[in-house]
Amino acid sequence: MKGKKIVLGVTGGIAAYKAAELAREFIKRGAGVHVIMTKNATEFIAPLTFQTLTGNPVFVDTFQLTGEWEIGHITLAESAHIVVVAPATANVIGKIAHGIADDLLTTTIMATRAPVLICPAMNVNMYANPIVRENMEKLAATGYRFVEAGYGELACKTEGYGRLACLEDIVEDVEDILTVKDLSGQHVLVTAGPTREAFDPVRFITNYSTGKMGYAVAVMAKRRGAKVTLVSGPTSLPQPRGVEFVPVSSARQMRDAVMANLEKATVVVKSAAVADYRPADYSESKIKKAQKPLEIRLERNPDIISEVGRDKGNRILVGFAVETDNLIRYATKKMMEKNMDLIVANDITLPGAGFAAQTNIVKILDREGGSVDLPLMDKMDVAARILDRVRELMGKQKGASRGKKR
Ligand code: CTP
């Protein structure tokens, strides 16, 4: 949402205070935020809060002038990249659904051609009310987008659906709506996280992978319009919405899940840190300690990406190489031997690179000897650059097959 103009509509519900945090999240991500409040919203939170957070004037009155000759609603409606209504009361949803435009917010929504994302928050019975549901359905059918309210304890001391959706979900939907769908029609299969290789019911061998890089690729591919299947080893990350999620534990389970989902995939990104070895023996009961040293014999796990590489077809295959030395040499060797199209070479000894960090420093190598050297950047941005390279390769493949046909 960098450089995008978000009009944030705040209506009169107790969740109005959460809109302040939401405005901050948008600003943190580089958006310009312009707040329109209904009169009732100003009973819950002061316009000054939003004005201070956004650095922009807050609009309440329809007839407020922004410039010498410009009427507020037209300016905001025309210049917004997206209008987000959070929280949206049953009242405002009803008004929009019936074309009522009697204040600045509803007038702006009526006049805008930008996408409108509505985030309802209200009492549980109001949210379940057939009239509200019908209004929401009508709006959804006309192209208005919703982030459904969440479940939990409500301000009116009841429990149920009606809480404003969590802010991360709202932010993610805004990112999604604002992203160009240049991967639509593609199906991206992503693996992420570590694997666990158990040797008794309470112990296993694993590695430091957190899954962040793979999850970033999955979310970014989803935002760009691809269907996504995420095969994930055990991580502590929340399951991304809008992505087919296949949880696995061991390398062998991951292999089976990848093979079961390979057919439909047009792109495979293997960012999982798969254990190369597993304990040769598994004890059904917990191994008790003894005086003598414990020896665990390890045997090889299947190399999943090599198997995919052998049966790659027209798919684009992207692998990762996590190294501590000889980065380019080892990564290039892996790419060639395992029949990958691209390899993301990752020197985890650099500060800001590697498993646990939210950032990474990588080089994206291709089979022709090309290398895109990326500076330290957020894993979401790294994911976007990897997918850019995937798109370029797809373009080349298309060009080549067109050439052959001629
Ligand atoms: N990989 C895989 N299956 C394995 C091991 C690795 O699919 N059993 C994939 C990883 O997901 C990654 C790529 O292969 O995309 C390279 O992984 P890495 O562990 O760096 O490579 P290895 O071939 O295992 O080499 P090393 O000896 O450095 O561990």
Side-chain angles (χ1 to χ4, degrees), residues 318-321 331-332 334-335 340-345 363-365:
V318 184
F320 279 70
T332 309
K334 279 176 194 173
M335 172 169 56
M340 304 174 195
D341 298 288
L342 296 171
I343 192 157
V344 183
K363 298 180 197 303
I364 309 174
L365 313 179

Side-chain angles (χ1 to χ4, degrees), residues 191 270-276 301-305 319-323 334 338 340:
T191 69
K270 286 231 64 248
S271 56
V274 185
D276 289 323
N301 261 330
D303 192 311
I304 308 169
I305 202 165
F320 279 70
V322 167
E323 307 290 351
K334 279 176 194 173
K338 300 188 184 197
M340 304 174 195

